[in-house]
Amino acid sequence: MMRLPMQASAEGLDVAFVGVPLDTGTSNRPGARFGPRQIRAESAMVRRYNGSTGAAPFDSLRVADIGDVNVNLYNLPNSCRLIREAYQEIVASGCVPLTLGGDHTITYPILQALAAKATMHGTGLAWPPCLDQARSCGTGARGCSHRHRGHGSGGEDLPREPVPALCGGRAAGLRPRGSDRHPSSSYDPDPHKYCREQGFRLVLAEECWMKSLEPLMRQALEIIRGCKGLNIVGCDLVEVAPMYDVSGNTALLGANLLFEMLCVLLGVKAL
């Protein structure tokens, strides 16, 4: 990733890039399991310094790529367990994981690992943790009968599943009624009701039409750069499916957004 050294574990690192090649939580087209591989390939284009903010992450932090989590593509609950256990080891070393997905399902076990670390050790982290999402998918997937749901239901499952001390958060750019992938259809009359009740601030894409986006910090770069100064304990970028990304531009954008996430972590100095 980004021509960084490879390392077998997160020991001794401040930040680790981690791949989670899982897409068995998808409700329609799989393919995001190949996202980490393609993001890494395109990330060779990413340079050392942030020309807009002056951030010099590689001069400030110890960063490496520690490879992929070993998931079970035939068993979603088992994969979630494997992801959670792998991230428990990563955060136990004091390392911040930056994740290459994989579908949205992976956020759930990652948050479990981060929250469990805070519950056991507590010091040095800003808890209760808050989930900040910029996503185009919905926060409910009643069509999935599995306990762990799938990639479209992370926001609905997180408050009710065992994620210790998780407080609300924000999800911006959610699919509106009448969107491109699911035009005017939903499993429920109010698919986001549960998330609002749990304290999430939801901003549907249709609420952003024909108005300034600045008050919502909606665009990807604004959201990421707006997090500078926060005690960020982990980030993930998901749903890159190379077979639907013929030009490679989506994977390249993903690599650049991960670089931006790296640039806003605590300890990164600006030149």
Side-chain angles (χ1 to χ4, degrees), residues 19-69:
V20 184
L22 178 73
D23 63 3
T24 45
T26 53
S27 56
N28 186 20
R29 297 187 297 182
R33 71 181 68 178
F34 302 110
R37 180 187 306 173
Q38 191 64 27
I39 293 170
R40 285 186 174 104
E42 296 294 339
S43 75
M45 300 287 291
V46 177
R47 292 157 187 165
R48 292 186 58 84
Y49 304 101
N50 191 316
S52 298
T53 66
F58 304 120
D59 294 349
S60 310
L61 302 173
R62 294 165 294 178
V63 191
D65 186 337
I66 62 170
D68 290 348
V69 173

Side-chain angles (χ1 to χ4, degrees), residues 8 68 73 98 151 177 189 224 249 252 260 268:
D68 290 348
L73 294 174
L98 297 187
H151 69 156
R177 301 169 188 85
I224 296 171
N249 281 345
L252 178 59
E260 291 284 346
V268 174

